[in-house]
Each structure stands twice: as C-alpha cells, then as structure tokens.
Amino acid sequence: MSIDKDSFYELLCKTLDPRSGKILPIDKTNESGWRKVLDIEWKGGIHFMVESSKYCWGYSYVMRDSQILSPTYRITRPDDDSIKCLQHIIDDIEDGKYRNKKTLREKIKLFVEENGLASFMNNTKWCELINDIKEKAPWECVQYKTLFEKSAPNYFWDLRYDENLVYNALDLSEIEWMKIKHVQTISEYIGRLVPDKIETYDHKSLFLEILQKHSIPYEYDESEQTFIVYGYRH
C-alpha cells in the first residue's frame, strides 16, 4: 500500500493538539525515501517529529539540536490508538518531560569534563579510518570501546558487520579508543586426524599507510601487535 504523506499530514494536524508547540512547514521535495511529515517545535528548540516513507506509516520521536532525546516509536497504522500515543508524547513535551533531558553530545561533553579527558579525534577522521578499514581490511582486525562502556571487549571483529556502524546506531564521538590488529591468522580445516593448517599474514604496512594518509595519531603496542587510536584520553 502506498502512503499518501499529504493526507497523513492533514490527518495528524486535524487530530493532534500541539498545545503550545508550533507546527512548522515541511519540505515536500524529498519523495524518494523517508520524509518528515510533521514537525512541531517548542521554545527551547525541542521538536516532535513524525517521519514516513512511501510504504510505511513511519516513526515518531523527540529531538533537540538535531539529536534524538526519546525512544523512536513506530506507527503501524494511523488509527485511534496510534493518535493517542502521539498525543501522549506531545503532552509529555508540554509538561516538561524533555526540558532538562541531555542530548548525547551533552552527555559526552559532561563525561569528558568530569573525567578530565582530552579529545584526539573527530567524526571526519573516524569516518575516514573506518571506511578505509572496511574496504581494505575485510577481516576481524578491530575492537573499540565507547566512553559509556564499563569494560573493554576481549575479541576483535570485522567492521563490515558491525551493526552499530552499519545502521548508524553509534555516534562516532562516543568512541574512547580503537585497536587495530595487523596480524591476520587463517585456519584451514584439513581433516579429523590432521592438524588445521595455520597461515599468518602481516598487514602492518597497510594500516600504517591508512593512518598516515589521514594524519591520524596513534600508539603502537608491541606485545599485542596492535595500533591504538584514541578518541579521548587523559
């Protein structure tokens, strides 16, 4: 079923009470994918957003400074129950539920300040590094820790299948550090009575080239044979 976004917008405007929020005009030029259907703004820059696509009624969420403050709520169909849920979110905004809620950037800034950390990377450099590793090193060679994780991971993985990065669920400014292991080990099964064939490949020069190309600061751990790129450190 094809979704008529204009009719959906008219339905939302007719059935929802924006309270003290102001309904903003919507750019209707993007019809190829997801498009904002409704944008209600309050003082303080808080927005209630509804997005829809050609074949999906869409999602709603609360945001400020282009960062989402609330869970993302799916709209399966524009029935009475869905409208009540949307109105409930609007009422929560009106009642101040999100007034003092921090965005992710604000949480990161506070965490960095409280822990006396200094920043060594930015999102552009992280993107350059990650994209090159995905393209040129398609094997389990990376691990990283975010600021809010209590403990570090104890294994390496292939960035091509990192769901946080594939679906943009992770803001790159959250990464505290990333380790890159340059020795690749491949095990080949020969038979039940024969030990597996083990081959190792050293890609140190490849990762050095990537790091230097993007002027990315790093440290080298000889014992682990890894490059360490710090997003933050003391």
Side-chain angles (χ1 to χ4, degrees), residues 144-155:
Y144 60 78
K145 178 184 176 298
T146 64
L147 288 170
F148 304 112
E149 288 180 300
K150 298 297 184 182
S151 59
N154 55 11
Y155 60 93

Side-chain angles (χ1 to χ4, degrees), residues 10-213:
E10 291 173 3
L11 172 67
L12 294 175
C13 290
K14 179 181 177 180
T15 55
L16 294 175
D17 179 0
R19 308 283 289 273
S20 66
K22 177 183 178 182
I23 298 177
L24 301 181
I26 297 295
D27 178 10
K28 299 182 179 180
T29 59
N30 177 23
E31 290 295 339
S32 59
W34 288 94
R35 191 192 82 184
K36 286 191 294 185
V37 174
L38 183 67
D39 183 357
I40 306 176
E41 182 183 27
W42 280 259
K43 289 182 179 179
I46 293 178
H47 291 252
F48 172 67
M49 311 289 296
V50 176
E51 289 187 357
S52 182
S53 72
K54 188 175 181 180
Y55 299 107
C56 178
W57 287 108
Y59 297 87
S60 66
Y61 52 88
V62 181
M63 69 185 307
R64 187 179 72 242
D65 298 332
S66 301
Q67 293 217 298
I68 294 178
L69 291 172
S70 71
T72 299
Y73 303 97
R74 185 178 182 186
I75 305 169
T76 55
R77 59 180 62 86
D79 55 14
D80 288 344
D81 288 339
S82 293
I83 296 299
K84 288 178 182 178
C85 289
L86 298 179
Q87 185 64 55
H88 180 70
I89 299 170
I90 291 172
D91 293 343
D92 280 345
I93 297 172
E94 186 75 19
D95 294 341
K97 178 178 179 178
Y98 297 96
R99 189 174 300 134
N100 298 316
K101 193 167 185 177
K102 289 181 172 58
T103 65
L104 177 60
R105 291 194 188 101
E106 291 169 337
K107 291 176 182 177
I108 290 173
K109 183 175 183 292
L110 181 63
F111 184 93
V112 168
E113 289 175 350
E114 289 180 342
N115 289 276
L117 301 176
S119 175
F120 285 83
M121 288 283 281
N122 57 46
N123 280 17
T124 298
K125 287 192 178 295
W126 277 127
C127 280
E128 291 171 342
L129 175 61
I130 289 168
N131 289 338
D132 266 11
I133 291 175
K134 283 182 182 179
E135 178 184 349
K136 300 176 181 179
W139 59 84
E140 297 172 352
C141 61
V142 166
Q143 65 174 219
Y144 60 78
K145 178 184 176 298
T146 64
L147 288 170
F148 304 112
E149 288 180 300
K150 298 297 184 182
S151 59
N154 55 11
Y155 60 93
F156 289 78
W157 59 88
D158 186 337
L159 283 186
R160 295 176 303 164
Y161 306 111
D162 187 312
E163 291 186 357
N164 286 324
L165 299 179
V166 171
Y167 299 108
N168 298 316
L170 175 69
D171 190 311
L172 300 180
S173 60
E174 288 184 69
I175 300 176
E176 182 178 350
W177 52 256
M178 177 180 288
K179 290 184 179 181
I180 307 167
K181 181 175 64 174
H182 60 82
V183 175
Q184 178 189 14
T185 302
I186 298 178
S187 176
E188 181 183 352
Y189 177 76
I190 305 298
R192 287 193 304 117
L193 304 178
V194 181
D196 290 352
K197 180 181 178 181
I198 306 295
E199 293 186 309
T200 60
Y201 301 89
D202 195 331
H203 303 282
K204 190 173 184 179
S205 60
L206 168 65
F207 292 118
L208 270 173
E209 180 184 345
I210 293 173
L211 293 165
Q212 291 170 357
K213 180 176 77 171

